[in-house]
Amino acid sequence: MNKTGIGQRVRRLEDPRLVHGKSRYIGDIKVAGMRDVAFLRSPLAHALIKGVKKPAGYENQVICAEDLNGVRPIRAESTLPSFRNSEQWPLAKEKVRFAGEPIVMCIARNRAEAEDLVELVEVDLEALSPVITPDQAKDNKGDRLHEHWPDNMFLDFTIGKDMPDIRDRADVVVKREYDTGRQVMNPMEGKGVVAWWDSQAEQLIVNTSTQVPHLIRSGLADCLGLSPDLVRVITPEVGGGFGYKCVLQPEEILVAWLAYERRGAFRWLEDRREHLTAGANTREHHYSVTAYADKRGRLLGLDAEVTVNVGAYSVWPFTAGLEAAQAGGNLPGPYAFDHYRCHVMATASNKPPFTPYRGVARPGVCFAMELTIDAIARAVGREAWEVRAENLVPAASMPYQNVTNKQYDSGNYPESLRLAKDAIRFDEVRQRQKTPEPDGRLIGVGFATFTEQSAHGTQVFAQWGLPLVPGYDEARIKLTPDGGVEVAAGIANIGQGIQTTLAQIASEILSIPTDRIRVSLGDTTTTPFSTGAYASRGIVMSGGAVSRAAEGLAERIRTLAAHRLECNASEIRLEDGEIHGPNGTLGFNELAISWYRRPDQLPAGDGNTGLEYTAFYKPRVDTGVFSYATHAVVVSVDPQTGKTELLDYAITEDCGRIVNPMIVDGQAIGGTAQGIGSALYEEVIYDERGQPLNSTLADYHLPGAAEVPHIRVQHMETLSPHTAHGIKGVGEGGAIAPGGAVINAINDALSAMGVEISRIPATADHVLQAIERRKTQKTLTSQHSSEEQQNEARAV
Amino acid sequence: MKPVRFDYVAARDSAEAVQLLRQHGDEAKCIAGGQSLGPMLNLRLARPSVLVDLHRAEDLRLTEQRSDSIVYGSTQRHAEFEDGLVPDATNGLLRTVASRLAYRAIRNRGTLGGSIAHADPAADWIGVMVGLDATYRLLGADGLREVSSTEFMSAAFMTRLGAGEILCGISVPRLSKAARWGYYRYSRKSSGFSEATGIVVADPERGYCRVVLGALDIPPVALEQVANALAEKGVDEAIACTGEAVNEMLAGYSDAKRQLFTVVVRRALEQIGEKQ
């Protein structure tokens, strides 16, 4: 048996260097003569730039928009219906559209001196009325962000049709409004870029903390007006991407421009305050949902409105339309029903440009859908898990095309729910709830089931009409002179363990152990093309390419070894790290020596049988393969303070063939920790002028170790029919469900009080306010209705 | 997020610190553990041109035991209280407060006096000291003077520390053996700043009883009505009148805020009940 192949619990090859602090992040890169830059960022959310005055004597160290000769704005167009495009100049030109937008770049020997210089620059701004909320954008009363637009809407279209018959037929109609707070992604390592001109290679070298080095090369070349071959993008170690690092950022363009213009080395390292303000760019959704169901809670139809508050600009290459379009397309979730309409809107506002974050739209839609399922269950007086189970796509219907034409490839969704219900010991929780807790806390249990569309490719992205559509991923593989393997792929290592899992796939096919396999990633010169690490695509796409490349190399090894082992190539097996023929065995190193040092041992040939192979891969069906999971959680809520604690958390997930169980667990647990942040803690608060109010980590609350419970993960393993080895992506799932599961549990705990939470984060303040509001309502109502008084008596 | 350029001087003792402050005037600022000032420097919210470091001044780290009180040196660290390395005048209250303050890395460096002088209303010591009726010793060019903890803080981040003065000692009255205390702090996260704190100290032998709201956006507030009820009628009566007292005191605050402060005071009172 191959001890380092697919399915094995191989320790991550990355970890020794990471846990010993020996790796190289962007901040570790030192280049002789390197200068630091700092940005003067807009203090106002919406204003005209009337003038910029550079401090005398520092003109050459202070750069504003007018100085950026040859630089083009970021334009990220989409062909989605009704889409309107924006132009984002890397340094704001004529006006600023969010607090934190860069206006001036200052250059100095170090960051502190660059910040000193920032303080000397005078910028004259004339305030405009800011657009902060989606409602303000829809009202179209304030100033327009983009003057040539008729209003402040990036996107406004409807999918599906009205459903009058369903409306008449439904026994139960549930209407709800849901909100998800605006968030910051907070990778442990912020964004950063170091760029210099390499005179030997005659190339601009851009080291940037990114998920998508090959895309950034295209984007930089476009915006700088350079031929792409002049630009080399290298990804060093990346301390978390999460989507924040999958778009072209203005600071990347600016630092690259400086290095090219001045033929020197320049650096920008984002600090936490910049990140918490200018990076407040994700998750803000509003839902208005009407669900129609029969008397058992079976969903008949869903009529919804989704608004994503996108912010100021369209990000490249994913655009300002992707999040809202994904939300509209994914809202139906793992459920089987036939009637769906969704009014999809993306509003422009004076906030940082919206960027897809781990889960992309699905944490919002899962929250809205899962709360709706529970609301239906309450309306028909049944257990939420039963109603959920009856609405899920049954295993017998797989493959299943849902109401928005998603092709669910394989799996048993109801079984994941049943297993999660057992894991959380549902019946024991219901038993415990019968006796009041001695300290007055309320106990609740909640579920969320979801699908995670992963590795969606050409067909899906082409539908959205993005500036850049992903296609084939490429991988190159080589047997080295000592019998080891070199793998090169263009995807970036962002902490997800892809170095290890790609090595495991190569190991599976070649039988060479992973400690002999060297994997290089994320460099536009030394690795072949990949659009990068996003959309849970790496293990399917790059993994598929490595699998194909390893098969190609195996074939060449067999061809060459056949000469040495005096047999037919088809008789040769690669097993236990050796090459076996019917008459003997050969080490990989012996074969490699024949090729590299003793070609006289091989027959004369045309060289096409060499020990290096490049392969190209995308799945036959590239509309995405669907992982899925159920999260189950038990909470306690202190009704006197509103504080929620997570007492138990169980996940049952299925991502097809598991390449490394420890890495899948890590993805589920890490994603869940972030989802707990969304559910209970994280939100950027803006005042009415568009100022972000929590710009330090003392005010923007992330869950810490004490807030994240022990998370138990169990696996199902239903292969995908479409991908190499049946693998599905799993990078995002953990972050999708916690909002739905945790709030369903809170609502279960508060059900006796008649309180229902419908927004995340469900901070203690928010829960306490909801409880207090309910008390006031009851007091008011009870003066008029004796029936209400009875309800109140029961509830209290 | 890098500080403005500044000079740094480490004072050998409190007298030198005072002399340095006099020399540099408004341009100078004292630093002890740096757990609040450090981030403020980096955010450029604090912009002193000279930092006078107090943490090498040995005389500020001394503890003076008196018959009716203990005077703690102002640069004694939270962790020293947590670990029981300094004598406790309060039957364990100081130790409990220290052990729940932020997280260990902060407790290792942060100091008692630094926290009090910074006067962040959400910080823990400033309210606890009002609960204990501590007295602060301030040293300036004109010598030593004492200010009651109840009068020291005038507003958020504002104190009665004069120009050129340093907080050199914190005098905490000794609680008698029979004294009881309750301390309940509410924070969303285990290491987070308190969002509502209830502090109760009852020392019948000394005829002392005080109930304090901490972590408001103003200086700590004493609830005399609740303290009187506790002293005269007991815990249950005190709990019963807490809601009204808080509502009256926090009239301008939201229902949810008033509810939260009521709860923390009640829970601090309940601790007193349990210790009876």
Side-chain angles (χ1 to χ4, degrees), chain A residues 40-51 92 94-103 123-132 143 145 277-278 312-313 349-352 686-692:
Chain A
L40 189 160
R41 294 177 180 274
S42 176
L44 299 180
H46 201 188
L48 296 174
I49 303 172
K50 307 303 278 188
E94 290 162 14
K95 73 184 285 194
V96 287
R97 295 182 177 86
F98 64 93
E101 182 168 6
I103 303 174
V123 177
D124 183 13
L125 297 177
E126 182 184 315
L128 298 169
S129 66
V131 179
I132 309 304
D143 289 312
L145 266 81
T277 51
Y313 300 107
S349 61
N350 294 109
K351 293 181 177 178
Y686 284 86
D687 71 9
E688 70 281 1
R689 291 172 305 131
Q691 290 293 329

Side-chain angles (χ1 to χ4, degrees), chain B residues 18 136-140 143-147 152 159-162 165-169:
Chain B
V18 169
Y136 301 146
R137 305 171 87 179
L138 314 184
L139 182 67
L144 202 62
R145 67 181 177 117
E146 295 201 335
V147 174
F152 178 74
T159 70
R160 304 212 186 280
L161 257 179
E165 274 186 325
I166 61 169
L167 171 60
C168 61

Side-chain angles (χ1 to χ4, degrees), chain A residues 440-454:
Chain A
R441 290 183 305 171
L442 301 169
I443 304 297
V445 56
F447 297 94
T449 306
F450 65 95
T451 57
E452 176 185 4
Q453 185 176 18
S454 70

Side-chain angles (χ1 to χ4, degrees), chain B residues 53-156:
Chain B
D53 191 346
L54 301 181
H55 97 281
R56 293 192 193 167
E58 283 302 323
D59 63 327
L60 293 177
R61 299 184 38 74
L62 299 177
T63 305
E64 183 189 337
Q65 301 229 31
R66 297 176 169 188
S67 59
D68 60 347
S69 65
I70 297 179
V71 184
Y72 297 100
S74 59
T75 60
Q76 282 177 322
R77 300 183 192 280
H78 310 315
E80 293 174 307
F81 288 89
E82 178 184 16
D83 298 346
L85 299 176
V86 289
D88 188 350
T90 64
N91 302 345
L93 174 56
L94 298 183
R95 194 167 182 172
T96 299
V97 172
S99 70
R100 294 181 194 168
L101 195 154
Y103 44 90
R104 182 72 193 197
I106 287 189
R107 301 198 290 270
N108 281 338
R109 293 204 62 83
T111 67
L112 174 63
S115 172
I116 291 168
H118 183 56
D120 184 337
D124 296 304
W125 290 122
I126 198 121
V128 170
M129 289 302 158
V130 172
L132 289 164
D133 200 33
T135 304
Y136 301 146
R137 305 171 87 179
L138 314 184
L139 182 67
D142 301 332
L144 202 62
R145 67 181 177 117
E146 295 201 335
V147 174
S148 163
S149 56
T150 56
E151 289 164 7
F152 178 74
M153 183 176 169
S154 49

Side-chain angles (χ1 to χ4, degrees), chain A residues 640-752:
Chain A
Q640 296 195 50
T641 64
K643 185 166 174 169
T644 299
E645 275 187 272
L646 306 183
L647 305 182
D648 193 14
Y649 207 113
I651 297 172
T652 305
E653 73 82 40
D654 186 347
C655 62
R657 172 66 53 77
I658 293 171
V659 179
N660 185 326
M662 292 194 292
I663 287 178
V664 172
D665 284 352
Q667 287 282 15
I669 292 167
T672 301
Q674 285 184 310
I676 289 169
S678 303
L680 293 175
Y681 302 103
E682 297 182 47
E683 182 175 18
V684 183
I685 312 287
Y686 284 86
D687 71 9
E688 70 281 1
R689 291 172 305 131
Q691 290 293 329
L693 298 181
N694 38 1
S695 62
T696 73
L697 288 179
D699 304 310
Y700 183 92
H701 290 227
L702 292 167
E707 281 72 45
V708 178
H710 177 63
I711 294 162
R712 297 177 286 125
V713 187
Q714 59 180 335
H715 304 284
M716 298 165 66
E717 199 165 8
T718 317
L719 305 196
S720 172
H722 304 318
T723 63
H725 310 285
I727 295 168
K728 303 179 183 185
V730 73
E732 299 172 272
I736 292 174
V742 170
I743 309 310
N744 275 339
I746 291 175
N747 285 341
D748 184 50
L750 298 178
S751 60

